[in-house]
Amino acid sequence: MNKLYLYTLSAFLSVGLLASCGSGKKGGNVSSKTGYAYNKRENGGFEVNKKYKRGPGPGLVEIEGGEFIMGGSAIDVPGQDIGDYNYKRQVTVSSFYMDETEVSNTDWLEYLHWIKTNFPQDREYYYTALPDTLVWRRPLSFNEPYVNNYLRHPAYQDYPVVGVSWEQANDYCDWRTDRVNELLLREKGYMTTFKDLNKPSAANSAPKTSGEPFNTEIYLNGQIKDVGKKAPQDLNKPGKGNRRPVRLEDGVILQPYRLPTEAEWEYAALGLIGNTKYSNINQKKVYPWNGLGITSPKKQTRGMILANFKRGKGDYMGVGGSLNDKGSLTMPVRSFTPNDFGLYNMAGNVNEWVADVYRSKTFQATEGLNPYRGNEYENKSRDANTGTIAKDKHGMPIMKPAISGVKQTWSQLLQDSVPGGTYNPDQRGYRDPEVKLSNGEVLTLINDKSRVYKGGSWDDQAIWLNPASRRYMQQTESTADIGFRCAMTMLGASEVKPSGKPQFKVAPAKAFKSK
């Protein structure tokens, strides 16, 4: 059963909503190639949204992309080859959205509540989503109170969730995508509103349900038949009363929430946009803030530490009566001053998972635009004749490994196979470090499930606060000092705020006139 989850509706004010797809008095724009008017039932009902306006989903801020030196802020460590863990390389990152803060305990408890409410009998589903609170246990430390309280007690509700593996973080991103898109569609009346959905009928005092939980991909494939009172007119059917589900072409559905790539995370953490004028970076950075130090130079906060980290062995928060970072463990996700992109705690508090598979020499091999290592291409499992997507017991699409890097022929699609059988474009075994054992066997220190985390934490010293620093851990493991935040792909033009900047005008299409 779906329950009402109210996010602040103002978060959607900037989201590109559906422009009118009705017939209109003038039929909208006209195709410059065929002469047919768009959005007119009598012309075949082909619809084009010319009023799309993009914007971030809840919790996200805009990050205007650009070129930067990845690894360029790395700190030299005596006795260590910096190239062993970061290779300096000029790359370009496309514009994207990123969470303003780390995902908090309250955010995760909302996720757990939804699972428990919608799948009350599926104990495995709930258990799999639980963070590992035992990460607080250390043999020679009294941390047992955090085992029982850190996740659930209101004293820590705005603190970053920890004990979450890379795999659990990805599952949360998938869940968040569906909840946000469902709320958007229901609040705007494109689907049955939550108010109507939960309104008891005259014959039955129990609230109505919408069946299995909403999934964005299943909905876009036309397998969820819920059509609201304000859904777009179906121009392929006669009469104004016929309405249809929203399509991707309407520009309403948000892109999936996901983990940021390592390049996106490092670019966003540096926040060089505040130091850039006329394509020149006037001041480099070692941390997400300006300067080489770790304390505030401003008069009112002079001497205060700018992030939550460990100053030295055994010094987690300073001297009583004059605490430096104010926290022995983590701190609330909006602590300290945000960087120039408006992002909180891009250094310290908790390390953060990123999407990439770890390799020490990754950036000697990856692309210059949106570098990333970790692609495992998958396709949705669907019936080739009907187009129906197969679903698992939780209403999620069943995925299968891609078997081709190009579009299959129709006959291959029906057979679900291609000559050669498999397709894996990602060279994740490239230059893996190897250790030869005494018995002659070769041991690789990392594998395809070694994932990168960045940013430094409450349990790290200042060197790890540098955005270029990178470490790795198995994607199934978790610790008390690793959390995460989500990102989202930004579609369309890369420039976020073009107002006031020189622009070439885009000429409108010439109207077709019949002779």
Side-chain angles (χ1 to χ4, degrees):
M1 180 189 300
N2 284 320
K3 297 291 183 179
L4 175 59
Y5 284 86
L6 290 178
Y7 288 87
T8 304
L9 296 182
S10 61
F12 291 109
L13 291 179
S14 61
V15 175
L17 296 178
L18 181 62
S20 172
C21 290
S23 58
K25 293 182 179 180
K26 296 183 179 180
N29 292 317
V30 176
S31 169
S32 62
K33 301 298 186 288
T34 65
Y36 281 82
Y38 303 140
N39 307 323
K40 295 190 71 173
R41 181 176 283 107
E42 56 268 35
N43 282 359
F46 177 62
E47 300 173 52
V48 176
N49 179 6
K50 289 289 187 177
K51 297 181 180 180
Y52 167 72
K53 184 179 179 181
R54 72 184 181 194
L60 302 171
V61 296
E62 298 166 318
I63 308 294
E64 183 171 285
E67 171 270 332
F68 82 116
I69 305 300
M70 192 165 183
S73 64
I75 302 172
D76 290 329
V77 181
Q80 183 176 8
D81 180 4
I82 201 76
D84 285 344
Y85 70 92
N86 213 323
Y87 176 82
K88 291 180 173 65
R89 186 180 180 189
Q90 183 177 16
V91 301
T92 295
V93 174
S94 296
S95 299
F96 63 103
Y97 304 108
M98 196 170 196
D99 268 340
E100 184 181 27
T101 70
E102 300 140 338
V103 173
S104 71
N105 285 322
T106 295
D107 299 328
W108 200 268
L109 288 174
E110 181 184 18
Y111 172 42
L112 293 175
H113 175 78
W114 183 91
I115 293 174
K116 190 174 183 178
T117 302
N118 287 272
F119 297 93
Q121 305 302 319
D122 195 339
R123 293 291 301 167
E124 181 182 3
Y125 189 12
Y126 184 84
Y127 183 81
T128 301
L130 279 174
D132 182 4
T133 60
L134 300 181
V135 294
W136 290 107
R137 284 182 174 169
R138 298 186 181 183
L140 300 178
S141 181
F142 180 61
N143 285 351
E144 201 65 18
Y146 309 125
V147 173
N148 296 321
N149 292 300
Y150 182 81
L151 174 64
R152 300 182 184 276
H153 197 281
Y156 299 106
Q157 61 185 358
D158 295 324
Y159 286 53
V161 67
V162 297
V164 173
S165 70
W166 183 93
E167 292 180 353
Q168 287 177 307
N170 274 275
D171 289 343
Y172 175 87
C173 292
D174 293 340
W175 171 84
R176 184 178 174 187
T177 298
D178 292 336
R179 302 290 70 74
V180 169
N181 276 324
E182 181 182 17
L183 179 63
L184 190 157
L185 293 169
R186 293 197 186 281
E187 288 298 324
K188 296 301 176 181
Y190 301 142
M191 293 177 68
T192 303
T193 64
F194 279 119
K195 181 178 179 181
D196 290 340
L197 191 65
N198 290 276
K199 186 185 299 182
S201 63
N204 186 0
S205 60
K208 294 182 291 184
T209 71
S210 63
E212 65 184 25
F214 174 89
N215 175 264
T216 303
E217 293 294 337
I218 298 297
Y219 174 82
L220 288 175
N221 200 50
Q223 292 175 234
I224 296 178
K225 305 300 182 182
D226 188 331
V227 179
K229 297 176 182 178
K230 296 183 180 180
Q233 294 285 333
D234 191 341
L235 300 185
N236 290 310
K237 294 181 180 179
K240 293 185 178 180
N242 291 310
R243 297 186 182 275
R244 61 166 177 80
V246 166
R247 301 167 182 156
L248 187 62
E249 294 91 332
D250 296 325
V252 173
I253 297 293
L254 293 176
Q255 289 295 294
Y257 285 85
R258 57 176 174 79
L259 289 179
T261 66
E262 183 177 358
E264 287 175 335
W265 195 99
E266 185 173 331
Y267 177 85
L270 274 175
L272 289 172
I273 194 168
N275 297 18
T276 303
K277 187 174 183 180
Y278 304 122
S279 298
N280 294 317
I281 299 174
N282 54 39
Q283 185 176 357
K284 293 183 179 181
K285 289 183 176 180
V286 175
Y287 303 109
W289 52 84
N290 287 326
L292 300 177
I294 55 176
T295 58
S296 172
K298 296 182 179 179
K299 183 177 180 180
Q300 291 184 334
T301 56
R302 185 168 295 159
M304 293 181 64
I305 287 183
L306 292 168
N308 179 17
F309 67 99
K310 181 173 64 176
R311 285 199 301 186
K313 186 176 181 180
D315 183 359
Y316 285 84
M317 62 178 179
V319 179
S322 184
L323 300 181
N324 50 46
D325 65 18
K326 315 295 185 183
S328 59
L329 301 172
T330 57
M331 291 286 288
V333 295
R334 291 182 182 275
S335 300
F336 305 100
T337 303
N339 73 358
D340 287 333
F341 279 123
L343 304 173
Y344 288 86
N345 291 301
M346 293 301 285
N349 214 25
V350 289
N351 289 288
E352 298 179 17
W353 288 115
V354 298
D356 294 56
V357 165
Y358 177 82
R359 291 295 183 270
S360 62
K361 306 293 185 181
T362 284
F363 301 105
Q364 290 179 319
T366 52
E367 296 285 346
L369 175 63
N370 299 324
Y372 169 66
R373 169 163 266 159
N375 283 313
E376 285 187 287
Y377 296 119
E378 294 183 315
N379 296 328
K380 291 177 281 291
S381 180
R382 69 173 78 216
D383 186 296
N385 288 307
T386 65
T388 302
I389 297 174
K391 298 178 289 186
D392 63 18
K393 64 180 181 178
H394 301 133
M396 303 286 285
I398 295 175
M399 307 300 292
K400 61 181 182 180
I403 58 177
S404 175
V406 297
K407 180 181 177 181
Q408 297 171 254
T409 65
W410 180 251
S411 61
Q412 289 172 341
L413 187 65
L414 293 177
Q415 296 171 5
D416 198 25
S417 65
V418 293
T422 59
Y423 168 65
N424 185 4
D426 187 21
Q427 298 176 346
R428 284 190 278 175
Y430 178 68
R431 292 185 180 176
D432 286 359
E434 297 180 346
V435 175
K436 291 186 177 180
L437 304 179
S438 58
N439 60 5
E441 294 182 2
V442 175
L443 173 68
T444 57
L445 301 180
I446 52 179
N447 55 43
D448 287 353
K449 293 186 178 181
S450 301
R451 299 288 176 170
V452 178
Y453 64 90
K454 297 173 74 75
S457 76
W458 61 271
D459 198 25
D460 289 314
Q461 292 184 257
I463 184 175
W464 297 109
L465 306 185
N466 174 250
S469 66
R470 56 198 307 256
R471 289 175 284 181
Y472 65 92
M473 193 168 69
Q474 290 297 98
Q475 66 185 41
T476 56
E477 298 176 349
S478 59
T479 72
D481 62 3
I482 299 182
F484 74 102
R485 72 182 73 211
C486 301
M488 179 184 287
T489 300
M490 182 186 294
L491 303 180
S494 295
E495 195 167 47
V496 170
K497 296 178 180 179
S499 179
K501 300 175 183 176
Q503 306 285 339
F504 287 107
K505 292 183 178 180
V506 179
K510 295 181 179 179
F512 173 79
K513 295 181 179 180
S514 58
K515 296 181 180 180

